[in-house]
Amino acid sequence: MKAGLSRERLVRAGAELADEAGFDQVTVSALARRFDVKVASLYSHLKNSRDLRTGIALLALEELADRAAEALAGRAGKEALTALADVYRDYAHEHPGRYAAAQLRLDPETAAASAGVRHARLARAVLRGYDLDEPDQTHAVRLLGSVFHGYVSLEMGGGFSHSAPDTRETWSRTLDALDALLRNWPDP
Amino acid sequence: MKAGLSRERLVRAGAELADEAGFDQVTVSALARRFDVKVASLYSHLKNSRDLRTGIALLALEELADRAAEALAGRAGKEALTALADVYRDYAHEHPGRYAAAQLRLDPETAAASAGVRHARLARAVLRGYDLDEPDQTHAVRLLGSVFHGYVSLEMGGGFSHSAPDTRETWSRTLDALDALLRNWPDP
DNA sequence: TACGTTTCCCTAAAGGTTTTAGGCAAATCA
DNA sequence: TGATTTGCCTAAAACCTTTAGGGAAACGTA
């Protein structure tokens, strides 16, 4: 009875498991259980358990970049800014486990070959709508990354006690503020 | 031969272990090894392994709040802003394991009793130097948290490839930008 | 000082995860 | 059809978590 395992299917199922049970619950054992297969069978398709987690991280980065690229098509300026921001926030809400996986620290070579570089390019694309030269553009790319990641991660971690005002309101005002800042980037 | 274990000492040693080997390497077994004691002995002082990690997280939050309170004493405006920001960044660089621990998701009661609330108050103290009323002040507190946490976490995770321009330069320009933004907070 | 109690760490054991080594049978190919 | 490859299995070792119960040292008290 062949179960039809493959690295592809395993990583995808791992991503689902992460979203359902949390990224830290993603284990080779749990995955084997899910396929109703013995644990050792997975080791023909995965190098080790870290390999599984890395695979999920890379998948999440790809999916995020795909969504971002689609969201940015035909948009510019503040519209592009909020579109990109919402991609990150929505993805984290829809796929908390995958989003957590995307935060996994990758070794430099893997990171360089990942969709991470597309993310940087997409952020730069948003900044084309604002008037920034190097090195300010790089500073701004990093600021965008920081705000998006920091906000989403604090929100998901319960860092903002679910009290008034609504976090969606804060999100919208944060994007207003970022837009204002980029249009009016201060001189050193 | 009594080893002189106590919850206090275990948590503190766990924090050191986290800084040296990474927060995910913090395990009851590793800790027992460090004290040259059998694993089961630790369970008189710790409820379970999560209890250990939670203890480290609470310790880190306390230490961070202490540093922040000291750094803010006698400062206001942009000086206070950069002082607070540097406390987070420096702490994360000095104590990466503890900083990772501080990101641990706590259950609501534990969080409410933690130093997390002091952090919120300290951020509000910084904002006294700027002219913001509610609910914008709350939005701004959340923005500060997002930027500080997001920046530090991306920087430490290698998210900013160590290429030009220097990340310290970006940090300084980011604080300039935040200051400018807070002085000139946009209307909705 | 001797006795009872508490404190502290230990042994023992069960259950879960990771990973490697080697085997067998079904699928594939010549 | 026979040979090879593929795919999942059994077995086993190593490590982490957690609970149950025991024994000796430290401590308080008479």
Side-chain angles (χ1 to χ4, degrees):
Chain A
M1 183 76 62
K2 308 267 172 165
L5 304 183
S6 74
R7 186 188 155 85
E8 170 81 13
R9 282 193 68 194
L10 289 174
V11 167
R12 209 162 282 282
E16 286 165 25
L17 178 58
D19 286 336
E20 291 163 20
F23 186 55
D24 49 340
Q25 298 302 307
V26 172
T27 165
V28 181
S29 293
L31 209 51
R33 238 171 276 133
R34 185 164 278 227
F35 281 94
D36 199 28
V37 138
K38 295 299 171 180
V39 189
S41 307
L42 302 199
Y43 281 84
S44 325
H45 306 277
L46 303 170
K47 277 219 313 284
N48 49 42
S49 90
R50 175 159 189 85
D51 183 38
L52 168 62
R53 286 189 285 270
T54 301
I56 299 172
L58 294 177
L59 172 66
L61 287 173
E62 290 283 351
E63 289 182 348
L64 256 173
D66 289 347
R67 285 196 186 194
E70 185 173 3
L72 287 188
R75 294 196 224 265
K78 186 178 180 188
E79 221 195 351
L81 178 71
T82 68
L84 182 61
D86 284 339
V87 162
Y88 284 105
R89 185 168 187 260
D90 292 347
Y91 189 82
H93 281 88
E94 284 173 43
H95 299 294
R98 284 160 152 98
Y99 186 79
Q103 255 52 69
L104 187 68
R105 189 174 183 144
L106 304 171
D107 56 295
E109 323 144 36
T110 311
S114 77
V117 298
R118 279 171 70 202
H119 289 269
R121 265 206 298 277
L122 290 165
R124 251 167 232 282
V126 167
L127 292 181
R128 275 203 285 273
Y130 300 89
D131 189 31
L132 292 172
D133 297 321
E134 287 299 355
D136 284 329
Q137 193 171 100
T138 299
H139 297 320
V141 168
R142 291 172 175 174
L143 176 61
L144 287 189
S146 299
V147 174
F148 295 169
H149 168 53
Y151 189 94
V152 169
S153 129
L154 287 180
E155 184 185 19
M156 305 264 316
F160 307 146
S161 44
H162 353 215
S163 59
D166 195 278
T167 61
R168 275 183 313 186
E169 177 65 16
T170 295
W171 184 237
S172 138
R173 304 290 282 107
T174 292
L175 296 179
D176 291 346
L178 267 184
D179 173 63
L181 179 59
L182 293 173
R183 275 190 284 100
N184 212 345
W185 190 261
D187 287 328
Chain B
M1 184 74 63
K2 309 267 171 163
L5 304 182
S6 74
R7 186 189 155 85
E8 170 80 14
R9 283 192 67 194
L10 289 174
V11 168
R12 208 161 283 282
E16 286 166 25
L17 179 59
D19 286 336
E20 291 164 19
F23 186 55
D24 49 339
Q25 298 301 307
V26 172
T27 162
V28 181
S29 292
L31 210 50
R33 235 171 279 133
R34 185 165 279 229
F35 281 93
D36 198 30
V37 137
K38 297 297 173 181
V39 190
S41 307
L42 302 199
Y43 280 84
S44 323
H45 306 279
L46 303 170
K47 279 220 311 283
N48 49 42
S49 88
R50 174 158 189 85
D51 184 38
L52 169 61
R53 286 188 285 271
T54 301
I56 299 172
L58 295 177
L59 173 66
L61 288 173
E62 290 282 353
E63 290 182 347
L64 256 174
D66 289 348
R67 285 196 186 195
E70 185 173 1
L72 287 188
R75 294 196 224 265
K78 186 178 180 188
E79 222 195 350
L81 177 72
T82 67
L84 183 61
D86 283 340
V87 162
Y88 284 105
R89 185 167 187 260
D90 292 347
Y91 189 82
H93 280 86
E94 285 174 41
H95 299 293
R98 284 159 152 99
Y99 187 79
Q103 256 51 70
L104 187 68
R105 189 173 185 145
L106 304 171
D107 55 295
E109 323 144 36
T110 310
S114 77
V117 297
R118 280 170 71 202
H119 288 270
R121 264 206 300 277
L122 289 165
R124 251 168 233 282
V126 167
L127 292 181
R128 274 203 286 273
Y130 300 89
D131 189 32
L132 292 172
D133 297 321
E134 288 297 354
D136 283 329
Q137 193 171 99
T138 298
H139 297 321
V141 167
R142 291 172 175 173
L143 176 60
L144 287 189
S146 298
V147 175
F148 295 168
H149 169 54
Y151 189 92
V152 169
S153 127
L154 287 181
E155 185 185 19
M156 305 260 317
F160 307 146
S161 46
H162 358 207
S163 59
D166 195 278
T167 60
R168 274 182 314 185
E169 177 65 18
T170 296
W171 183 237
S172 139
R173 303 290 282 106
T174 292
L175 296 180
D176 291 345
L178 268 184
D179 174 63
L181 180 58
L182 293 173
R183 276 189 283 100
N184 213 343
W185 190 261
D187 287 327

